[in-house]
Each structure stands twice: as structure tokens, then as C-alpha cells.
Amino acid sequence: SMTATLAPEVHAPTQSTLQQQSTEQQPALAPPPPPARPAKRAKRRSRRSLSLGGKLFGVVGVLVALIFGTNGFSITAMQGMADSSEELAAVNEFSELRGEIALGAKQAQLLFQEMLSAQDRSTVAELVEEQEAHDAALTALIETYAASPASESVHWQQFVEGYEEAVRLRDEELVPAVLSGDRGAIDPAAVVAIETAIADYEAALDQIKAEMTGHVDSSTEGLQSEVDTGILMISILGIGSLVVGGLLALVIVRSIRRSVGEIRRVTQAMAVGDLTVEPAVTSRDEIGQMADLLATAQLRLRELISGVADSSQRIAGAADGVAGEGDLLRASADETATRSGVVAAAAEEVS
């Protein structure tokens, strides 16, 4: 009974007791907050834009359209200049024909003067033959000119009327008198009428020449104006194409540089351990897709690091619990040893 009194019952800590003590000593760990979805990335996904290839294709398409437009305008302008050149060439051709007719009319006048002054009948006969051949050639020229649009001129009609009147008076009044050899048979009034008719058709030819000269000058000025306008418009379209293409290229380059700069800023922050900086890239091209992947990688890294931190906290709490249980076991062992010594001493006294 003394032994029972001196040696009270000592209970060793059970496994459930240790687990309960460890649970009481281990700090409660709050569950990790759910990762927040970046608002900017969601906003980026809501936007629609072209890919880099589409942007470049758009620039090339605009330049090609401008080039085709410039070429189309150039072709139109050149066609207009070609039409003006053809019209000018036709006017020059009519002018040359008019010059030949005027020269032929002048030669007819000279033959008429030679007939008046000729004294020999054989000479007169030769002049008459020459006059007939000359009339045939001049008539062919007049018919050619009459078939052209230039024959619609009023002065041309006056020339034809004057020339035909002069030929009629010459053949009916002058040639028979000259061929008869009787110089006195020549009617002075007929001579005056022929000279008047010659003066009339020469005046009409001068008017035609003035009209053609004005038309040539007008056509030349119009052609020069078309050339100047064409050169100006082609220059404007060419410069405009370069400006528009340059502006589009500048916008695309700035967009690419801005996006690449954002990704560089994020990677620099990640290099120093900051995973909270997100790429502010709103485009949906290849760079925008790469920015989305980078943001996703940041999210996964944050989740991984958060999980590692939670695990570390749990391990640290468990280690603290184990250390506390070791101290309790040591204290229990010391107390048991002390009581054992007391029991031993009491046993010696009894014996």
C-alpha cells in the first residue's frame, strides 16, 4: 500500500492524444483564394482585329489598288491625248491639202495671166493643154478635200463657188478668144469678172487657212493641257500612293512595336520575380495570341507558387507539432525517472 501511495500511476501519451495535441498546436491554414481572371485579357478577347498577315495584305491591297487606279487614269489620259493627237494630225493633213489647193489655184491664176499675154497661137495651145491637166489635178484635190469633215466650212463653199465661176468664165470667155488669135475679141469685163472670182476664192482660202490655224492652235493647247493635267494627276496619285502606303505601314509598325514593347515589359518584370504585370495588348494577331499565352503562363505560375507556399506552411506547422510532442515526451520521461527514484528509495527504506 505504501508503494501504491508513493508511486502514483503514470499514463503514457497515446497516439490519439498526440494527434489531438498536434492538431491543437498546428495553426489553421486558410484556403488559398481562387485565382482572379485578368480583366484586361478578357477585354482583349472581346476585340477583333486582323492578323499580321491580314494587315500586311491590306497594305499591299491598298497599294495595288492605288497603282491600278493610277495606271487606269494614265491609260485614260493617254487615250485622250492619243485622240487629240489624231485630231491634230487630221487637221494638219487637211491644212496640207488646203495648201496644195491654194498652190494649185495660184498656178491656175498664173496660167491665166500667161494666156492673156501670149501672142503665139501654138504657145496658147500649149498653155491650154497645161491648164487642162492642171485643172484635172486640182479638181482631184478639191474632191478629196470635199470628202473630209473640213468641207463643212462656209468658207470652203465660198471657195468652190468662186473657183467654179472663175473656170467657167475662163473656158467660156477667155479661152475661145485667145485661141482665135484675135486679141480684140477678149472682153475686158470677162477678164475683170475672172479676176474678181479669183480674188474671191483666194480670200476664201485665206479664211480657211485662218480657221485651220486657230483650230491647230486650239488643239495644240488642249493637248498640252491634257498632258499637263495627266502629269499632275499621275504625280498626285503617285505621291498619294506613297503617302497612304507609308501611313499604313507606320501604323502597323507602331502597333507591332507597342505590342512587342508590352511583352518585353512583362518578361522583364517576370525576370525580377514580379508575376503581377500583365501585357496590355489588345490586338488579336499573332503577337496578341502570344500575349494571351504569356498571361496564361503567369496565372499558372502564380497558382503553382501559391500551392507551394501553402504546402510549406502546412509542413512548418506539422514540424512545430512534432517538436512540441517531443518536449512533452521528454518531460514525461523525466517525471517517470524521478518517480522511479522515489520508489526505489522507498523500497530501500522498507527493506
Side-chain angles (χ1 to χ4, degrees):
S1 61
M2 183 181 296
T3 304
T5 303
L6 293 175
E9 184 178 0
V10 178
H11 297 282
T14 63
Q15 183 69 23
S16 60
T17 305
L18 293 177
Q19 291 179 354
Q20 182 178 3
Q21 292 176 353
S22 174
T23 304
E24 292 175 353
Q25 292 178 0
Q26 183 177 358
L29 298 177
R37 305 298 295 179
K40 292 182 179 179
R41 187 149 56 94
K43 183 179 180 180
R44 285 196 303 270
R45 289 178 177 176
S46 64
R47 302 187 60 177
R48 294 293 182 266
S49 60
L50 294 174
S51 64
L52 290 177
K55 293 176 182 178
L56 294 177
F57 181 77
V59 173
V60 173
V62 170
L63 291 177
V64 169
L66 291 174
I67 291 173
F68 273 104
T70 303
N71 291 336
F73 178 82
S74 301
I75 292 173
T76 303
M78 292 177 63
Q79 185 63 41
M81 288 185 285
D83 295 339
S84 299
S85 299
E86 291 178 358
E87 182 181 358
L88 184 59
V91 171
N92 289 330
E93 182 180 355
F94 297 150
S95 179
E96 293 177 357
L97 184 58
R98 185 214 60 84
E100 293 179 2
I101 292 173
L103 180 60
K106 182 65 69 176
Q107 291 176 351
Q109 183 182 0
L110 293 176
L111 289 173
F112 170 72
Q113 296 295 333
E114 290 180 2
M115 284 184 190
L116 291 178
S117 60
Q119 300 296 329
D120 189 357
R121 294 182 63 180
S122 61
T123 303
V124 172
E126 293 176 357
L127 291 173
V128 170
E129 292 178 359
E130 184 178 355
Q131 183 71 62
E132 290 176 353
H134 181 269
D135 288 347
L138 186 57
T139 300
L141 293 175
I142 292 174
E143 290 176 352
T144 301
Y145 193 93
S148 67
S151 61
E152 298 177 358
S153 171
V154 176
H155 301 294
W156 170 254
Q157 300 299 328
Q158 293 175 355
F159 162 75
V160 172
E161 292 175 359
Y163 177 74
E164 290 178 351
E165 180 65 16
V167 172
R168 185 187 66 79
L169 293 173
R170 183 198 64 191
D171 294 342
E172 293 180 358
E173 302 290 339
L174 180 61
V175 173
V178 172
L179 290 176
S180 66
D182 185 6
R183 310 298 299 180
I186 298 176
D187 187 1
V191 175
V192 172
I194 293 173
E195 292 177 348
T196 301
I198 292 174
D200 290 341
Y201 73 64
E202 285 183 344
L205 286 174
D206 292 338
Q207 292 293 330
I208 294 173
K209 180 180 179 180
E211 285 182 354
M212 287 190 171
T213 301
H215 193 69
V216 168
D217 294 339
S218 177
S219 299
T220 303
E221 291 177 0
L223 180 60
Q224 185 63 41
S225 177
E226 290 179 0
V227 171
D228 296 338
T229 302
I231 293 174
L232 178 61
M233 292 303 298
I234 291 172
S235 301
I236 292 175
L237 290 175
I239 295 174
S241 300
L242 293 177
V243 171
V244 172
L247 290 176
L248 290 176
L250 179 62
V251 170
I252 293 176
V253 169
R254 290 186 62 182
S255 175
I256 294 174
R257 288 187 60 186
R258 183 166 55 249
S259 300
V260 172
E262 282 294 317
I263 294 178
R264 182 174 179 271
R265 181 176 66 87
V266 173
T267 53
Q268 286 178 342
M270 292 177 64
V272 297
D274 187 0
L275 299 178
T276 62
V277 180
E278 296 182 1
V281 180
T282 58
S283 63
R284 296 301 303 161
D285 53 14
E286 289 80 358
I287 297 179
Q289 296 172 6
M290 184 169 60
D292 287 342
L293 294 175
L294 183 60
T296 303
Q298 286 180 317
L299 179 61
R300 296 294 181 268
L301 285 174
R302 286 197 298 267
E303 293 175 350
L304 178 61
I305 293 173
S306 177
V308 171
D310 293 342
S311 299
S312 298
Q313 291 179 357
R314 287 194 296 270
I315 292 172
D320 292 339
V322 171
E325 291 176 355
D327 293 339
L328 181 60
L329 289 174
R330 281 194 299 271
S332 298
D334 293 339
E335 184 179 359
T336 302
T338 302
R339 291 184 179 183
S340 298
V342 173
V343 171
E348 287 178 358
E349 289 179 0
V350 171
S351 61

